[in-house]
């Protein structure tokens, strides 16, 4: 996905990310990439690496349809999702300039990825969360990345899923002081209040 930035198609996406306010350093640190808008670039690559059919089907990278196998993330900006130790366990793909498709497509749950217990960016932010003894929780990937590169490093994103008991338990390992900085629209306000009650239940100190 990172290598695809070297293609003509990928260069345009890289410029788009820069125009959205991300720095080259941020793109590199968080290993953003791009999935070429072809049906089977990733499939062919993985087959060339001699991965088994079973591994491919479990990875969540390939979709099995009546018309054959397709790359799940084709034509999308790629945000790798890491576990707290920094290993990539899943991906999220964001569409570029296409209103007819879902804005985000995420990896399905796999043997190594359980979305209800994963927080985006925790692998980079955990030391700062401990140091500050507080964490800011945002909704989206761009929210996280723009705040992180602006120097607010005690931050995580819920990345396209509702806040869960497992998220609350995970944050409690690092701090009890949680700031919920969700979108200011009606849905964001309702989601923040719901997350606040979950955090209270687990003995944390949430603020919106």
């Amino acid at each position: 996905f990172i290598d695809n930035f070297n293609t003509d198609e990928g260069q345009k996406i890289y410029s788009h990310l820069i125009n959205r306010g991300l720095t080259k350093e941020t793109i590199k640190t968080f290993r953003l990439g791009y999935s070429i808008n072809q049906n089977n670039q990733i499939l062919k690559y993985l087959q060339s690496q001699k991965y088994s059919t079973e591994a491919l089907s479990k990875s969540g990278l390939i979709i099995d349809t009546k018309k054959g196998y397709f790359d799940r993330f084709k034509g999308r900006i790629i945000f790798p999702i890491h576990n707290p130790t920094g290993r990539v366990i899943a991906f999220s793909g964001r569409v570029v300039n296409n209103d007819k498709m879902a804005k985000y497509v995420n990896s399905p749950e796999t043997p190594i990825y359980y979305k209800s217990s994963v927080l985006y960016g925790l692998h980079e932010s955990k030391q700062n969360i401990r140091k500050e003894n507080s964490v800011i929780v945002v909704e989206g990937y761009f929210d996280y990345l723009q705040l992180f590169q602006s120097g607010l490093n005690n931050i995580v994103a819920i990345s396209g899923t509702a806040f869960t008991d497992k998220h609350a338990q995970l944050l409690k390992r690092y701090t009890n002081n949680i700031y919920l900085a969700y979108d200011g629209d009606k849905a964001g306000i309702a989601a923040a209040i719901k997350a606040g009650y979950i955090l209270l239940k687990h003995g944390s100190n949430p603020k919106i």
Side-chain angles (χ1 to χ4, degrees):
F1 292 138
I2 294 169
D3 287 347
N4 285 336
F5 280 144
N6 297 321
T7 66
D8 290 342
E9 191 180 323
Q11 280 288 316
K12 291 175 185 174
I13 302 304
Y14 194 87
S15 297
H16 170 78
L17 291 171
I18 298 293
N19 291 335
R20 282 291 301 262
L22 298 185
T23 63
K24 292 179 179 180
E25 186 182 344
T26 296
I27 293 168
K28 185 178 180 182
T29 298
F30 290 92
R31 301 167 75 186
L32 272 57
Y34 178 65
S35 183
I36 293 292
N37 196 14
Q38 296 172 2
N39 286 340
N40 57 7
Q41 187 207 23
I42 295 300
L43 176 63
K44 283 181 176 175
Y45 171 76
L46 293 172
Q47 286 173 334
S48 75
Q49 300 298 302
K50 303 289 189 287
Y51 286 106
S52 69
T53 305
E54 183 186 12
L56 292 185
S57 65
K58 283 183 177 178
S59 72
L61 289 165
I62 311 299
I63 300 175
D64 185 2
T65 73
K66 290 177 181 175
K67 294 182 180 178
Y69 293 99
F70 293 96
D71 293 354
R72 180 180 296 275
F73 299 108
K74 69 170 190 165
R76 291 175 180 270
I77 299 165
I78 299 296
F79 298 85
I81 297 169
H82 301 77
N83 67 11
T85 62
R87 295 193 70 179
V88 175
I89 54 171
F91 299 95
S92 183
R94 190 189 194 280
V95 75
V96 189
N97 303 326
N98 190 330
D99 296 334
K100 295 176 183 175
M101 296 168 69
K103 186 184 271 190
Y104 283 96
V105 166
N106 297 314
S107 289
E109 296 213 330
T110 69
I112 60 168
Y113 174 57
Y114 304 96
K115 63 182 179 182
S116 64
S117 55
V118 173
L119 289 163
Y120 180 76
L122 182 61
H123 69 295
E124 282 288 339
S125 301
K126 60 186 180 183
Q127 302 304 338
N128 291 302
I129 293 168
R130 281 199 173 107
K131 191 170 83 174
E132 300 288 335
N133 191 24
S134 66
V135 61
I136 302 163
V137 182
V138 296
E139 290 189 81
Y141 303 100
F142 279 112
D143 300 332
Y144 175 97
L145 294 170
Q146 287 171 334
L147 287 171
F148 189 93
Q149 71 181 20
S150 299
L152 283 167
N153 303 142
N154 56 325
I155 188 163
V156 295
I158 53 169
S159 60
T161 185
F163 194 88
T164 67
D165 288 291
K166 287 180 180 173
H167 289 144
Q169 290 162 1
L170 184 58
L171 288 177
K172 203 168 170 61
R173 294 180 196 170
Y174 302 95
T175 184
N176 274 326
N177 300 308
I178 322 284
Y179 295 91
L180 298 162
Y182 284 19
D183 293 349
D185 58 15
K186 202 170 181 180
I189 292 165
I193 292 168
K194 193 173 179 183
Y197 279 120
I198 291 170
L199 287 160
L200 283 172
K201 185 173 75 175
H202 288 274
S204 291
N205 177 31
K207 290 184 170 67
I208 297 174

